[in-house]
Amino acid sequence: MPRFQGSIFDVDGVLVDSPHEKAWRESLRELMESSWRDIRDRTTWSPDAFTSHVYQQYVSGKPRMSGARAALDYFGVPDAENRAVQYARLKQELVVRLIQAGDFTAYPDALRFVIATKDAGMLIADASSSKNAGLFLRQIRLDTFAQENGISSPTLRPGLTLLDYFDADVSGRDFAHGKPDPEIFLTAAHELGVEPRYAFVIEDASAGASARRSRFPARTCRAGSGAGTIQRFSTTTRPR
């Protein structure tokens, strides 16, 4: 039976510790303490209520508008559908400022794993719902990372960014169905020219993990947000 032929990576929480969670939390706080002050008492929101668990369970992995609506629904914000537009816009403005300021970290173990999968002969793709994924991936220099960490690989070249390294980039596209629908991962597999049963997905968010399980039967790692480590996977593992 063939070995895995393709690997598909989420970005936020898998490859980078991004400021998305911070941006969602702080932009909602800004609204609740300013223009939305009059509805604050009609919600369950408080400065400490937007926890990492809430972000991971309800917001992470979803397209921007879906994430905004999910957060507002969770806190019982009135007229959530209309208010989501303002919330999503404010969050986007903040996250871009944070990314441009370098307020994110690439997970070293994740970068090593990406290089290892490609060195093992697999095709690789990034598949994030975030339209900001390219901003992160363009700033990560794999050649510099490899040099600083003593990594030698025939797949690396001078000036190579993480975005350049992927064989397919499907992040930030507008799909008919967002996660937990598997459309984004199926598209990535298609553009790699790999059958889903011969690809594996690495995802941290609940929505993304559900999307993977529905159509990708092969063993899949779950990278905990903030962990910086991808565990229990060998590039010699064969699909079931």
Side-chain angles (χ1 to χ4, degrees):
M1 185 177 293
R3 294 167 56 178
F4 283 123
Q5 300 167 4
S7 51
I8 302 168
F9 295 85
D10 184 27
V11 178
D12 183 15
V14 171
L15 300 178
V16 300
D17 181 13
S18 83
H20 275 104
E21 180 178 346
K22 179 179 180 180
W24 281 117
R25 181 182 296 115
E26 293 304 315
S27 56
L28 184 55
R29 179 171 184 162
E30 179 180 335
L31 288 168
M32 288 296 190
E33 293 179 347
S34 57
S35 59
W36 292 4
R37 188 184 302 111
D38 60 327
I39 63 155
R40 176 172 170 174
D41 291 342
R42 297 161 58 192
T43 75
T44 61
W45 178 88
S46 71
D48 299 324
F50 202 144
T51 63
S52 291
H53 172 75
V54 170
Y55 172 74
Q56 285 293 326
Q57 191 68 30
Y58 298 98
V59 181
S60 181
K62 295 181 179 178
R64 189 181 307 152
M65 285 302 301
S66 298
R69 178 63 188 269
L72 298 185
D73 284 342
Y74 176 82
F75 290 113
V77 176
D79 195 21
E81 183 173 358
N82 290 323
R83 292 182 186 274
V85 176
Q86 182 182 5
Y87 179 30
R89 176 182 55 77
L90 190 64
K91 173 264 174 183
Q92 176 63 10
E93 292 171 355
L94 178 55
V95 81
V96 168
R97 291 199 301 270
L98 293 171
I99 293 170
Q100 291 175 341
D103 191 1
F104 71 93
T105 303
Y107 296 134
D109 284 353
L111 298 187
R112 292 187 185 95
F113 190 77
V114 169
I115 295 171
T117 56
K118 196 154 189 178
D119 283 350
M122 286 185 248
L123 296 171
I124 61 175
D126 62 277
S128 170
S129 297
S130 174
K131 294 186 181 298
N132 301 304
L135 296 177
F136 295 113
L137 301 179
R138 288 189 188 94
Q139 292 190 51
I140 299 171
R141 284 279 300 273
L142 270 191
D143 60 330
T144 302
F145 169 78
Q147 184 176 13
E148 292 175 348
N149 289 271
I151 298 173
S152 177
S153 167
T155 61
L156 296 175
R157 66 176 187 275
L160 190 69
T161 69
L162 185 53
L163 182 62
D164 297 330
Y165 198 58
F166 285 106
D167 299 295
D169 168 30
V170 301
S171 294
R173 297 187 190 178
D174 292 321
F175 289 99
H177 305 286
K179 299 175 186 178
D181 189 277
E183 183 179 7
I184 187 171
F185 294 143
L186 292 173
T187 300
H190 174 75
E191 294 197 4
L192 290 176
V194 174
E195 293 182 44
R197 61 178 174 154
Y198 295 132
F200 66 85
V201 174
I202 297 186
E203 169 68 72
D204 71 319
S206 297
S210 297
R212 183 278 305 170
R213 283 192 295 268
S214 65
R215 294 296 294 273
F216 288 78
R219 182 186 301 178
T220 301
C221 302
R222 181 180 176 89
S225 181
T229 302
I230 299 173
Q231 301 175 343
R232 300 189 306 280
F233 189 86
S234 168
T235 53
T236 61
T237 302
R238 295 177 183 274
R240 293 177 291 182

